[in-house]
Every structure is written in structure tokens, then in C-alpha cells.
Amino acid sequence: MEGDCLSCMKYLMFLFNFFIFLGGACLLGVGIWVIVDPTGFREIVAANPLLFTGAYIMLAMGAMLFLLGFLGCCGAIRENKCLLLFFFMFILLIFLAELSAAILAFIFRENLTREFFTKELKKHYLRNNDTDVFSSTWNSVMITFACCGVNGPEDFETVSHVPREEEATPEACCQRQLQTREGVFVNKEDCLRGVERFQNRQGCYTVILNSFETYVYLAGALAIGILAIELFAMIFAMCLFRGIQ
């Protein structure tokens, strides 16, 4: 009976580690995609230190889970106590790091409010100055998502540090036939003069929130699933470790 329990635990351990292996592969893939994606996300990540750090943390976590899932599978099948102990310690460290990251994300969630982005836009945006990373990033976002400012074109009416002669709608808010930097303007002159039908009137905050709402819930569910799998994997690893003679 004890041998049957040990054998069952071994294969359950293998199964949980296989899911950790797949979860690590998913995180690794998402991290690489965010960093190298050519449609503007790369510039967004590069311009925001928080997102830049988060993307590389995701990449590192994915690689580590990928490796540890593989080691856990090997330790379970070969019944190697050294590999199991190594696996348990590192999964515990990763589990605590992910839990800490989730708590910090909850604490600093106010940094993702509409008011925060509006204040930062009015403070740092230099309109068509693509040599400025912040402005270039916002221009890429507005072109890619066919939106304007955080709330709409009115966000740019009170940008105090921009010269008076430049206080028109930014080019990035003008409608294009194709939503890329190379896309042809529908009517650039009338757009810059304030003709609304040639402008993208919807704010980027709402557009991006609607675009990624499904994916945010999916990412949250995936994170909870990974934490649960890691917890069970640690329990099985320790039970298997104690059961191996």
C-alpha cells in the first residue's frame, strides 16, 4: 500500500510539474512577445520603468519556471532526493516572489488610474517631438489604437509647457487610412484646425481598457492557477522526498 501511494504521488508530482513547465513556457512566450512586438508595445515598455521591469521579471520567471518544471519532472520520475529538494526550495522562492509582486501590484494600483495618466500626459507630453521617449510612446499608442490623449483631444488644450503656436491637436490624433506611422492621413490640415470628423475623438484609456479587458482577466486567472499549481507541487515534492528511502 505504501509503495502504491508513493507511486501515485510520483506521477501526480510529474503531472503538476508538467503544468509548471507549460506555465513557464507561456510566461516566457508572453514576455518575449511584449519586448519584441513591433506594433508599439515595445516603445511603451521601454518608456515606462515599471512596465520595463515587469516585462523582464515575467521573462525571468517564465524561464525559471520552465527550467524548474523540467527538473521537477526529472526528480519525480527518477526519485532523486537532491533534485526534489532543489526543486522545492526554488519553487518556494518563486512562490513568495510572485505573491509579493501581487501584493505590490494591489498596493500601487492607483498608479493606473485615468487621473494619473492624464496628469502625466499634461506634464510631460511634447506633441510631435519624437526625440522625446515619453512623447514618442504616446504618439505610437494613439496611432496604433486610433485614439487621442487619455480622455480625448481636450487633454491637450491645457498643456502649459507647449508653445502657443503648437497648441493644436497633435498629428497622432488625426485619422489615418491605416493605423501606422506610415499611414496616409484622411485630412491632416482640417484635423489640425480642429475639425472633429477628421480626428480620433475617443480617449486611449477607454480604448485600451476595452481592448485588454478580456486578457487582463485571463492573465489574472492564469496567475492564480500557476500559484495553486506551485503550492500543490511543493506539497507533493516534500511528501515524495520524505517517502523515498
Side-chain angles (χ1 to χ4, degrees):
M1 181 65 70
E2 186 178 343
D4 290 339
C5 286
L6 188 63
S7 179
C8 179
M9 200 176 298
K10 178 174 75 173
Y11 287 110
L12 282 173
M13 173 74 178
F14 176 84
L15 183 64
F16 275 115
N17 277 283
F18 180 70
F19 283 119
I20 288 175
F21 177 82
L22 290 180
C26 288
L27 283 177
L28 195 60
V30 171
I32 292 172
W33 174 72
V34 168
I35 291 170
V36 303
D37 179 68
T39 59
F41 292 105
R42 180 171 50 194
E43 294 178 1
I44 298 171
V45 170
N48 190 317
L50 189 61
L51 291 179
F52 181 81
T53 305
Y56 279 96
I57 287 175
M58 183 187 296
L59 202 61
M61 286 292 182
M64 197 172 294
L65 286 175
F66 183 85
L67 175 62
L68 287 178
F70 176 76
L71 289 175
C73 287
C74 291
I77 292 298
R78 295 171 61 90
E79 298 185 9
N80 188 307
K81 295 185 76 170
C82 182
L83 280 177
L84 287 172
L85 185 60
F86 175 81
F87 167 82
F88 176 84
M89 294 302 295
F90 271 87
I91 283 290
L92 179 62
L93 289 174
I94 292 173
F95 180 84
L96 293 175
E98 289 172 344
L99 201 59
S100 300
I103 293 170
L104 287 173
F106 178 79
I107 292 172
F108 293 105
R109 67 190 184 282
E110 65 271 10
N111 286 347
L112 298 177
T113 61
R114 185 187 296 268
E115 291 74 21
F116 173 80
F117 285 117
T118 303
K119 184 180 72 174
E120 290 297 302
L121 177 69
K122 291 181 178 181
K123 183 178 179 182
H124 300 294
Y125 183 67
L126 300 176
R127 297 186 183 271
N128 303 320
N129 183 357
D130 281 341
T131 59
D132 176 67
V133 175
F134 184 89
S135 303
S136 176
T137 299
W138 262 105
N139 289 336
S140 294
V141 170
M142 291 190 289
I143 292 170
T144 301
F145 290 95
C147 56
C148 188
V150 178
N151 309 288
E154 62 273 12
D155 287 344
F156 301 104
E157 296 173 2
T158 55
V159 179
S160 58
H161 60 273
V162 175
R164 197 63 197 168
E165 62 273 12
E166 294 185 23
E167 288 189 358
T169 303
E171 288 183 9
C173 287
C174 295
Q175 292 181 7
R176 300 170 187 245
Q177 294 178 5
L178 184 64
Q179 293 308 132
T180 66
R181 284 183 177 271
E182 294 75 29
V184 178
F185 291 99
V186 175
N187 191 325
K188 179 179 175 182
E189 290 75 18
D190 284 348
C191 167
L192 296 179
R193 280 199 294 265
V195 180
E196 293 186 3
R197 65 193 182 97
F198 297 116
Q199 297 175 347
N200 296 315
R201 302 293 300 175
Q202 195 168 13
C204 293
Y205 189 89
T206 301
V207 172
I208 294 175
L209 202 64
N210 291 339
S211 299
F212 288 97
E213 186 175 11
T214 304
Y215 300 103
V216 167
Y217 290 124
L218 183 63
L222 180 63
I224 292 171
I226 288 174
L227 286 173
I229 289 170
E230 288 172 355
L231 185 61
F232 280 110
M234 285 189 291
I235 293 170
F236 282 123
M238 190 48 61
C239 290
L240 189 59
F241 178 86
R242 291 172 60 86
I244 294 173
Q245 300 300 323

